[in-house]
Amino acid sequence: MKYTFGGDVATTYAEYIDVAKGSTLVAEPGQTYEIRQAAGVTRPGAKRGEDGELIETGEHEPVELPLPPDSRWTAARVRTSKDKETD
């Protein structure tokens, strides 16, 4: 799926890939990108102790990041056949 970046300044998203370029996503205001999560993204693992407190396990666990990355993104408008007629 494609998303349009609505931020005010160019922003680098190190944990995401710009699919068209095959490299780290550097989003420019108003531009549309097909994006995916970069491979190998992990976070420190944790478990709950007997008292309910989180304890880091020392291991890193793979995570699935949200798409789009944050609230500055919106789903890109899909062009219809009617749009193409007016081009």
Side-chain angles (χ1 to χ4, degrees), residues 1 3 8-11 15-16 25 33 37 57 64 68 70 87:
M1 181 168 199
Y3 300 95
D8 295 333
V9 297
T11 303
E15 295 178 320
Y16 292 86
L25 174 62
Y33 302 89
Q37 178 177 319
T57 63
E64 190 169 320
D70 58 45
D87 284 347

Side-chain angles (χ1 to χ4, degrees), residues 18 33 40 54 69 86:
D18 175 341
Y33 302 89
L54 278 177
T86 61

Side-chain angles (χ1 to χ4, degrees), residues 35-46:
I35 57 179
R36 67 173 170 79
Q37 178 177 319
V41 177
T42 63
R43 297 288 185 268

Side-chain angles (χ1 to χ4, degrees), residues 67-85:
L67 283 174
D70 58 45
S71 63
R72 295 178 287 181
W73 294 83
T74 57
R77 184 173 172 267
V78 176
R79 289 181 55 138
T80 66
S81 57
K82 188 173 184 175
D83 291 334
K84 293 174 187 172
E85 292 172 8

